[in-house]
Amino acid sequence: MGAKPLQIYVIDVEGGQSTLFVTPAGQSLLIDTGWPGNQYRDANRIAAACKLAHVKKIDYLLITHFHMDHVGGVPQLVKKMPVGTFIDHGVNREESKSASVPYEDYLQAVGSSPRIIAKPGDKLPIKGIDAEVVSADGNVIQNALPGAGQANA
């Protein structure tokens, strides 16, 4: 029997996209959580995808940026599912108050959980995939990834 495949679940959170990855090594990575409110709509959808994927704990939760439709669901999600490590770009620099979630709400949801402040070039410690940060907090990697860097046809 061959190695387990990488599993990818795209979760409809009606705005920002939420994606669950289950690596061949069995670790889970969730990217973004959708909106707050809505009677736990997005947290419930994520929990349903986790159940389908046989994930009982989200090993890594990566927040791409602090817009409501990407991070707003974190407080509800952590009430439904345990999260091992949070990954984000650090301090909220969003200028649009209507588009961003109160940073304090996010930090309260993170609590004392491990947190990685990602920087361009960092390799994330997710077993079973090679995940390298190419952009974070408005900064990008200095050199192209191996095999990349050619002009886009």
Side-chain angles (χ1 to χ4, degrees):
M1 185 170 208
K4 289 183 179 180
L6 174 66
Q7 298 174 50
I8 304 171
Y9 299 81
V10 179
I11 305 158
D12 180 8
V13 292
E14 300 189 28
Q17 186 173 321
S18 183
T19 308
L20 174 66
F21 295 85
V22 181
T23 73
Q27 286 202 315
S28 58
L29 165 66
L30 179 69
I31 300 179
D32 291 337
T33 62
W35 295 92
N38 301 308
Q39 289 87 37
Y40 281 70
R41 177 197 68 203
D42 297 346
N44 287 335
R45 289 176 180 181
I46 292 167
C50 288
K51 184 176 180 179
L52 184 66
H54 306 287
V55 168
K56 293 185 171 126
K57 172 188 172 190
I58 297 167
D59 295 307
Y60 295 93
L61 171 54
L62 188 148
I63 299 300
T64 58
H65 61 289
F66 293 107
H67 281 178
M68 284 285 219
D69 57 338
H70 292 265
V71 69
V74 170
Q76 291 178 347
L77 180 64
V78 299
K79 290 177 183 173
K80 295 194 75 65
M81 299 270 321
V83 175
T85 300
F86 291 80
I87 305 169
D88 61 66
H89 65 68
V91 177
N92 182 8
R93 300 184 197 286
E94 300 292 339
E95 294 179 12
S96 168
K97 296 297 178 198
S98 64
S100 63
V101 69
Y103 188 58
E104 295 76 28
D105 291 353
Y106 171 68
L107 292 180
Q108 185 176 12
V110 171
S112 61
S113 298
R115 182 174 172 212
I116 296 171
I117 307 297
K119 294 173 190 60
D122 287 354
K123 293 204 180 258
L124 300 179
I126 304 164
K127 293 177 183 163
I129 61 172
D130 183 18
E132 185 171 341
V133 178
V134 296
S135 175
D137 197 21
N139 300 305
V140 297
I141 57 175
Q142 296 300 308
N143 299 309
L145 295 174
Q150 292 76 28
N152 185 345

